Amino acid sequence: MAEKNLSCRAQEVAACCCVDVGTVIDNSDLSVQIEKTFPTLEEAQSVLTHLKEKAADAAFSGFEVVDEIIAVDDKYLLKATFTFECQAESMIFQLATR
């Protein structure tokens, strides 16, 4: 099998290459939006509490959350936006909630 010669440009290389962190984390994506439907209000509130705990764990310098739970057709829609002070915190939160 012929060996491929890979360049170190982020858009062309899938793995095993150096990339400047500034091309990935430029501190422009500070918010994470979550929308999910639950069968009960209690379950929606429980998940929101869990998400707030995860956000607190991820945030070194603090975060803000705007949330609401709306009754829709016998279900409950949780809408929450978590805004962090730096993009790394946002990414840590996203990874922790997967």
Side-chain angles (χ1 to χ4, degrees):
M1 187 164 140
E3 187 175 327
K4 290 185 179 182
N5 185 9
L6 298 176
S7 67
C8 285
R9 291 188 289 191
Q11 66 271 20
E12 294 181 7
V13 177
C16 299
C17 194
C18 297
V19 176
D20 180 30
V21 173
T23 63
V24 178
I25 302 175
D26 62 0
N27 222 31
S28 64
D29 189 11
L30 303 177
S31 295
V32 178
Q33 295 180 339
I34 296 173
E35 284 192 25
K36 189 166 181 175
T37 304
F38 297 92
T40 66
L41 176 61
E42 292 77 19
E43 191 173 348
Q45 290 171 330
S46 175
V47 168
L48 178 60
T49 299
H50 177 73
L51 290 170
K52 287 179 179 179
E53 290 170 359
K54 290 288 185 185
D57 290 343
F60 300 107
S61 52
F63 69 97
E64 292 181 12
V65 62
V66 176
D67 60 76
E68 63 180 335
I69 299 174
I70 306 165
V72 178
D73 297 329
D74 297 329
K75 295 185 180 183
Y76 295 88
L77 174 64
L78 167 62
K79 296 171 85 174
T81 301
F82 293 84
T83 304
F84 297 88
E85 293 186 15
C86 77
Q87 188 173 357
E89 295 171 346
S90 171
M91 292 172 69
I92 292 167
F93 174 68
Q94 289 177 64
L95 291 171
T97 58
R98 292 187 177 186

